[in-house]
Amino acid sequence: MEPLLGTTLPVFLGLTVGLFGGCAFMAGQGLASGWRPIGLVFVYSALLGLGDRFLTYGLFQGELWLLSGYLVDTAVLAVICLLAYRLTLTRRMVAQYPWLYERLGPFGWHEKSKRDG
């Protein structure tokens, strides 16, 4: 696992999933709260992946220019950011338009059925 990540598993879990995962979660919430397009999730995740690679290198002597490490870090951060984006967007849609939509699980909503009369 270490050759793929460019660092040890505890460093990956602590730095990438813990610290930068929290940043990715907040980025996803911020994007959804501001009604920004979902494509920006990938831009933010790529930038967070660069920061994660740099801190892995600077603090824990990980490999800086390891492409597989960057791609794994960025993919994990993108998944976290997408989950936060969808959770927040669902909450916003149902709260802001309660006469139109009702919650359909944590990640979705659907249009309320029209009743006669």
Side-chain angles (χ1 to χ4, degrees):
M1 186 71 98
E2 197 168 315
L4 177 69
L5 298 174
T7 189
T8 62
L9 188 59
V11 170
F12 172 77
L13 292 175
L15 193 64
T16 302
V17 177
L19 180 67
F20 278 89
C23 294
F25 194 86
M26 289 189 294
Q29 285 182 322
L31 289 170
S33 293
W35 301 102
R36 305 295 295 166
I38 197 167
L40 287 178
V41 163
F42 301 106
V43 174
Y44 282 42
S45 298
L47 293 173
L48 285 170
L50 288 174
D52 181 53
R53 270 287 101 190
F54 178 73
L55 285 185
T56 300
Y57 165 75
L59 297 176
F60 302 103
Q61 291 79 40
E63 293 186 44
L64 180 62
W65 300 111
L66 184 65
L67 182 62
S68 65
Y70 171 73
L71 292 176
V72 169
D73 291 349
T74 302
V76 168
L77 295 173
V79 166
I80 293 170
C81 196
L82 281 169
L83 288 173
Y85 183 91
R86 192 63 186 185
L87 282 168
T88 305
L89 192 63
T90 299
R91 182 178 43 82
R92 295 265 330 239
M93 289 295 286
V94 172
Q96 190 159 343
Y97 305 108
W99 64 93
L100 289 176
Y101 303 114
E102 54 190 9
R103 184 178 292 270
L104 185 65
F107 299 108
W109 65 89
H110 64 91
E111 200 169 327
K112 285 187 174 182
S113 59
K114 298 178 181 164
R115 297 182 185 135
D116 295 333

